[in-house]
Amino acid sequence: KADAKAKDEQKEVLDFLNFLADKNFMYLGFREYMISGSGRKAKVRLNQKSNLGLLRDSDRTVFEDYKNKNNFPPETAEFLARQDLLIVTKTNNRSSVHRSVHMDAIGVKKLDKEGRVIGLQLFIGLFTASAYSQSPKNIPLLRNKIKDVFSKSQLKLNSHDGKALESIFESYPRDELFQVSEENLLKTVMGILYLQKRPKVAFFVRTDIFKRYVSCLVFLPRELFTTAVRRQCQDIISRAFVGVPAAFFSQLGDSPLARVHLIIKIPSRQIPKIDPRKIEKEIAIVARPWEDKVASALAQVHDEATSLKLVER
């Protein structure tokens, strides 16, 4: 069974690499790391002859992790120790071509005959528009992740909630789908599904595997969304994580909910424990219209009839 599962994973990784090569990824750089040892004791050496494109210069870093170090940091070593054959994440550098966003990094493990990790092949570049426009159900890696999460949701495919969940997957930030764990994705999409029945302020967070940033999804009733509220959301979340806003993406559609995707960089790589419900309450307070705040204040010092009259005035 283990062999069959390993073969299925290998096939999915190969299908994904073929998907990238089929005009779904703009390759901008490549390099290979040679690895000896395992886990936290893994030693890394750059294969100087492998450097291509933007990574032709060996001194150019993709992650701060690899700069002037002989060892991978603990987070990277843990990835090498896991059974995952491939990782999709973001680099620390923005692209100078196509569009000015943080470049995508795809790491593929190289194994020996005994299945030990002996190398890591790293591609950097950008997913193309076609990769974002396709349904995630048709994209290798994502299709299995979505299938597994849908199964764990215990919803029926043709039910009202099942169709709503499918729609959530289709509109979910594509970069997030590539990077989020199944456990985190299940928790988030079920939370979003609940919001569709009862729109309110909600906050979901994912921590980068290398602890460089946190990725946050903020939902709030559409009528409460303004640029000022988005900025206040950034300030609240940045303070909570002792971080710096790095990027934001807003989505306003026909849904009664507005969505803001915030990336908060963590310079210290020390991610504090936070209470998501506390952040939700803070966001709800700043998003609340001024008129509602005045009404609440009046209700605390006047009887109902008087406060209503004053509110109308």
Side-chain angles (χ1 to χ4, degrees), residues 28-46:
L28 297 176
F30 173 82
R31 69 174 42 150
E32 182 178 42
Y33 296 94
M34 312 303 291
I35 299 167
S36 59
S38 61
R40 291 176 177 270
K41 296 181 179 179
K43 302 285 186 181
V44 59
R45 179 174 58 84
L46 177 63

Side-chain angles (χ1 to χ4, degrees), residues 234-266:
Q234 284 186 176
D235 291 342
I236 289 169
I237 297 170
S238 297
R239 285 197 303 270
F241 284 103
V242 195
V244 180
F248 74 89
F249 311 93
S250 302
Q251 183 190 64
L252 291 170
D254 297 330
S255 168
L257 289 166
R259 184 186 76 196
V260 184
H261 180 199
L262 299 168
I263 305 295
I264 308 298
K265 185 177 180 180
I266 313 296

